[in-house]
Amino acid sequence: LLEAEVGGEPRSSSVSPHTMSFQKLLPWIGILLLPAIFYLALSGEGAFVCNSAAFDEGKALIVESGCELDGENLGALVYLTCPVQLDTAAVTESVTGATVRGALTVTSTVQMMLWTERSYHEVGGATCFCYNMTWTSMVPRIDQNHLHHICGDNEHDPGPDCRDAVPTSEELSLDTSGLGISHSYAERVGLGLAGEPAQFELSKEKLLQMTNMGLRTAPIDIPPPAGWWTQSKQGAQSIDPLGRLVGQMGKMEQAEEGAVHFYKPVDGVFSSSRPAKLGDRQVMMQAYTAENVSAIGKQVDSSPGTTEPYEVGKNNSCGHVSLELYMSQALPATAMFEFLLAHVNAMFMQLRVECLLLFFVAFVMIGGPLSGAPEIMPSVGAYFAGVSKCSVAFAAAFFALGLWNFAGAMAWLSHNPTVGDEHLGGAMWCFLIGIIWLRWSRPKHGVASRAFSYESDTNKPKETVGEGGFFSSVMNKIESATGLDINGNGSVGRPTVPKPTQKQLKAIKDRAAAMV
């Protein structure tokens, strides 16, 4: 540790030897991280470039068939947009088993009257539990051991007296399967003009892949399933705010249009005046449909036609990419490819941000000694250390952005030189700004310049931090300005003052600050 005596009292830094040893390793860790992060960034951007190249190849190969089945397109990458033949669609709802015709998908929200738990904590004290029955779409996780710590059993319990509502072990073991939100789909649906034979057909697997954009609600007109009773929306909301639950999902207005509510009492007895009992269920069903469907894929069958993924990019270094997309609205092929590119771009955006942050951390680690050097300066060291850390962080941000752009340039140059040149130009500017900033932010004179350089004047040998080095040179400057022999070596040629007064010590600090 660096030590000096001022007025006979030892002064040492607060940095431990272990911390200093770790700080010495930080630059090497940062240097080792850079190639690994660069490889990760290059691989991620390269994968995005491969997808972009595959989409460009798909645009050149696409055959627009409209909504007419053509046997000559078998095996080709086709684009189609067709009306939906809703009379061929039927969904078997997974909760009640009801059949909903004219829908592509049905969303069901199931709730059940169950015991729920609430805990009360007292800082440094006991914890107790209260229970009440409520409608919930999630299975409550209740530890039955908590039943031995009901609020009110002890006069010091932090919660209210809840001893009048305590569940039994059997009541906590009810069958809760099927709770929550579920989606059911039609087994198949025909595509083509109404009243004519279907030109194409979508299976359940394809409907699962279809985007929700363009879906609209459809009215459900079905009798109550076996064991269920029809319930009005007002009745459901008075028992349990199903509408509010769905409203929290951002679908309140859609869910109210055409939604139906069914109620299943645990004892099989239903009436509007009957209060809800433990184990009762209620479900809200909402059907969705679409007027048109647009698709991109490989045509493989006829009468009616179906599609499957089409592989592009087999002859380039990226490997093949599968093209297949189904959208629940009429869109041109160009818009569908733009959607695919935007989707892939969003997937890789998180990786890009993470690589950029990792580059920044690595460069900050490399610049750690530069930002920590001023801390050994007396009085003003903390100030200059803070300024230095800000300068290093600012430069590290530009170097990180530059290396990130350089990785992007390496990935794009072979596929799209224009985009690659843009990344390369951005990298050069970022590196240039970082270098200029480091040079500009270095103090040019006085004690502050020593915080950024271990080199002394050209006519003096190199100084190091430690005995007879940087700290000693600072002390010599202060001795020359104040006439005090602080180092105690008698080399200043001024009268030695073995123990300065408090006033003299203050003059030393003020003079040091003025020199800065």
Side-chain angles (χ1 to χ4, degrees):
L1 294 180
L2 181 65
E3 296 186 355
E5 288 192 3
V6 180
E9 297 180 1
R11 176 175 180 168
S12 63
S13 68
S14 58
V15 182
S16 67
H18 298 289
T19 303
M20 294 182 66
S21 299
F22 178 73
Q23 290 176 347
K24 291 180 181 179
L25 292 176
L26 285 179
W28 297 105
I29 297 175
I31 292 173
L32 292 175
L33 283 177
L34 284 180
I37 304 170
F38 185 85
Y39 175 79
L40 181 63
L42 183 61
S43 300
E45 195 65 23
F48 175 75
V49 171
C50 288
N51 280 272
S52 179
F55 298 155
D56 290 341
E57 181 181 345
K59 291 178 185 178
L61 297 174
I62 196 78
V63 177
E64 298 193 11
S65 64
C67 193
E68 294 182 4
L69 181 63
D70 189 346
E72 295 183 358
N73 295 333
L74 285 176
L77 177 64
V78 298
Y79 156 76
L80 60 95
T81 178
C82 294
V84 178
Q85 296 179 338
L86 294 179
D87 58 338
T88 65
V91 178
T92 301
E93 199 271 330
S94 60
V95 176
T96 63
T99 299
V100 182
R101 302 191 180 277
L104 299 181
T105 178
V106 173
T107 300
S108 304
T109 304
V110 182
Q111 291 191 326
M112 188 174 180
M113 179 65 72
L114 293 172
W115 284 103
T116 57
E117 180 183 76
R118 183 175 181 180
S119 60
Y120 293 87
H121 304 275
E122 184 178 4
V123 178
T127 299
C128 63
F129 302 88
C130 288
Y131 298 88
N132 67 300
M133 287 191 296
T134 185
W135 289 102
T136 177
S137 60
M138 297 181 294
V139 180
R141 304 298 181 185
I142 298 178
D143 186 348
Q144 296 194 19
N145 292 324
H146 295 170
L147 300 177
H148 302 293
H149 304 281
I150 304 298
C151 292
D153 286 344
N154 192 311
E155 60 179 3
H156 300 294
D157 284 342
D161 192 338
C162 303
R163 289 174 293 178
D164 57 343
V166 181
T168 64
S169 298
E170 292 75 14
E171 292 175 336
L172 295 179
S173 304
L174 297 177
D175 180 15
T176 56
S177 59
L179 294 188
I181 299 176
S182 61
H183 303 278
S184 306
Y185 296 86
E187 289 297 325
R188 60 183 57 85
V189 60
L191 303 179
L193 297 177
E196 297 185 3
Q199 296 292 306
F200 295 91
E201 184 180 74
L202 294 183
S203 63
K204 181 178 181 179
E205 290 72 19
K206 306 306 179 184
L207 290 174
L208 285 167
Q209 300 175 33
M210 188 169 63
T211 63
N212 293 330
M213 293 188 303
L215 286 180
R216 57 183 178 85
T217 57
I220 299 178
D221 185 14
I222 59 174
W228 296 79
W229 277 261
T230 302
Q231 186 180 30
S232 66
K233 180 178 66 176
Q234 290 76 16
Q237 290 180 346
S238 65
I239 296 176
D240 174 57
L242 275 176
R244 183 171 61 188
L245 170 69
V246 180
Q248 293 173 355
M249 300 165 51
K251 298 182 180 179
M252 178 69 173
E253 296 180 359
Q254 281 190 334
E256 289 183 353
E257 182 183 351
V260 294
H261 303 264
F262 296 111
Y263 195 95
K264 186 176 184 179
V266 66
D267 54 8
V269 179
F270 176 78
S271 67
S272 57
S273 59
R274 172 186 177 277
K277 295 183 179 181
L278 185 70
D280 285 359
R281 292 177 180 244
Q282 60 182 4
V283 59
M284 181 184 68
M285 295 168 51
Q286 178 67 69
Y288 296 91
T289 186
E291 295 181 357
N292 299 279
V293 167
S294 298
I296 289 177
K298 177 182 177 181
Q299 183 177 320
V300 293
D301 288 323
S302 59
S303 188
T306 59
T307 56
E308 66 178 23
Y310 185 92
E311 295 184 354
V312 294
K314 297 179 181 179
N315 299 323
N316 56 38
S317 59
C318 294
H320 69 271
V321 175
S322 298
L323 284 181
E324 185 182 26
L325 179 62
Y326 305 91
M327 303 191 72
S328 54
Q329 56 185 322
L331 287 176
T334 54
M336 297 185 70
F337 277 107
E338 291 175 358
F339 175 85
L340 283 172
L341 185 61
H343 178 69
V344 173
N345 187 40
M347 291 174 58
F348 285 99
M349 186 56 67
Q350 181 178 355
L351 178 61
R352 293 176 180 140
V353 173
E354 291 174 352
C355 288
L356 182 59
L357 292 176
L358 289 174
F359 276 135
F360 174 74
V361 171
F363 278 113
V364 168
M365 294 169 69
I366 294 173
L370 183 63
S371 62
E375 293 182 355
I376 64 175
M377 298 169 57
S379 304
V380 294
Y383 168 77
F384 282 110
V387 174
S388 179
K389 289 177 182 178
C390 292
S391 298
V392 169
F394 190 82
F398 276 100
F399 286 135
L401 191 59
L403 199 53
W404 179 80
N405 270 289
F406 185 71
M410 294 298 98
W412 277 98
L413 281 173
S414 60
H415 170 65
N416 190 331
T418 302
V419 178
D421 290 341
E422 291 176 356
H423 278 283
L424 192 59
M428 294 177 62
W429 275 108
C430 289
F431 287 136
L432 182 61
I433 293 174
I435 294 172
I436 293 175
W437 171 259
L438 280 181
R439 293 183 63 85
W440 176 81
S441 63
R442 288 179 59 180
K444 301 301 188 294
H445 63 278
V447 178
S449 66
R450 303 294 186 179
F452 296 88
S453 175
Y454 293 105
E455 296 290 341
S456 60
D457 297 337
T458 56
N459 296 328
K460 295 182 180 180
K462 182 178 179 180
E463 296 176 343
T464 58
V465 178
E467 182 179 358
F470 168 71
F471 185 79
S472 178
S473 67
V474 174
M475 291 295 100
N476 290 336
K477 287 181 178 290
I478 298 176
E479 287 178 338
S480 300
T482 61
L484 299 177
D485 185 14
I486 298 176
N487 286 327
N489 53 20
S491 61
V492 179
R494 299 293 182 90
T496 301
V497 182
K499 188 174 182 180
T501 64
Q502 292 295 327
K503 184 176 181 180
Q504 289 173 326
L505 287 175
K506 184 175 183 303
I508 293 173
K509 296 179 180 180
D510 293 342
R511 183 58 178 170
M515 291 174 64
V516 177

